[in-house]
Amino acid sequence: MSVFQTYLQLGFFHIFNLRAYDHLVFLLALCAPYVLQDWRRVVALVTSFTVGHSLTLALATRRIVAFPPAVIETLIPITILLTCLGNFWRAPREPRRNDTRRPAPVWLGWANLLAAVFGLIHGLGFSNYLRELLGQNARPVLELLAFNVGVELGQLLIVGLILLVGFVVLRGFRATRRDWVLVVSGAAAGIAVVLLLNQLTGA
């Protein structure tokens, strides 16, 4: 197996893993407002998140930037909570039937910018794991690329599963989109609060 394939798999299974549940919960919160038909928008958001975490992952792995792990572990649940609060704020709003305004381009918008900013924080969370894998490799360009591609593929699979579950709930159980957003975001926010309290109290 090549170096690229090895780090591709490591990146994929690092995110597609229950031990990375804080990142999984963030993806759950990020996808909560969207349905299967919005898949292009979701891919854009996830890729914006990937761009953000790829940047800080590269900088932290090369030891150009460094932050205390405790600070990062505190900031990650805060990103989840802020995402959930945004979902709560938007959930009651339903588009008017006669609204003919064109939607914003897929790759633009505050949501994409926010996802990229939050990705900067999550990338720092990935960096300790990747530094352990790289050891003394001082110029891990290929490894970083492969790892980030693997993370992106894992994230896309996760959000695909989330959108599929949402489709089943909305169509099969006749749940409203508003209820889906509130329940999913509430669950994600609850987990984030527990993570934050554990970090602050040292539990």
Side-chain angles (χ1 to χ4, degrees):
M1 184 180 295
S2 68
V3 171
F4 187 90
Q5 289 175 317
T6 298
Y7 279 86
L8 181 75
Q9 288 189 8
L10 288 170
F12 179 87
F13 288 110
H14 182 63
I15 191 69
F16 197 73
N17 189 322
L18 289 178
R19 286 179 293 182
Y21 62 92
D22 50 350
H23 302 292
L24 299 180
V25 173
F26 176 79
L27 292 174
L28 181 64
L30 190 69
C31 295
Y34 303 99
V35 294
L36 195 58
Q37 294 91 326
D38 300 323
W39 67 269
R40 291 182 181 85
R41 180 64 173 159
V42 176
V43 169
L45 283 172
V46 172
T47 303
S48 297
F49 177 67
T50 299
V51 169
H53 76 61
S54 297
L55 177 60
T56 49
L57 180 59
L59 293 175
T61 302
R62 298 288 301 276
R63 291 179 169 79
I64 297 173
V65 298
F67 289 89
V71 173
I72 302 305
E73 294 302 319
T74 300
L75 289 176
I76 286 175
I78 290 175
T79 66
I80 300 170
L81 283 173
L82 291 175
T83 303
C84 293
L85 289 175
N87 294 345
F88 294 145
W89 181 74
R90 289 186 297 169
R93 300 188 175 190
E94 294 293 340
R96 297 177 182 178
R97 292 184 179 181
N98 59 352
D99 191 348
T100 58
R101 291 175 297 176
R102 295 181 64 184
V106 170
W107 289 95
L108 299 178
W110 285 106
N112 296 79
L113 178 61
L114 200 59
V117 171
F118 288 168
L120 295 174
I121 296 170
H122 285 250
L124 294 170
F126 293 144
S127 63
N128 288 334
Y129 171 75
L130 186 55
R131 274 203 301 264
E132 291 177 2
L133 293 176
L134 292 171
Q136 299 301 315
N137 190 344
R139 303 179 67 85
V141 176
L142 182 63
E143 292 87 345
L144 276 169
L145 175 62
F147 187 84
N148 282 315
V149 171
V151 169
E152 173 74 351
L153 292 175
Q155 290 176 160
L156 291 175
L157 179 56
I158 291 163
V159 299
L161 293 173
I162 293 170
L163 292 177
L164 185 59
V165 171
F167 177 81
V168 171
V169 172
L170 294 173
R171 292 293 181 89
F173 295 92
R174 302 295 181 182
T176 67
R177 188 165 176 174
R178 179 179 183 275
D179 288 344
W180 167 255
V181 173
L182 292 177
V183 170
V184 172
S185 300
I191 295 172
V193 168
V194 172
L195 288 172
L196 183 58
L197 291 175
N198 286 343
Q199 185 61 34
L200 294 175
T201 60

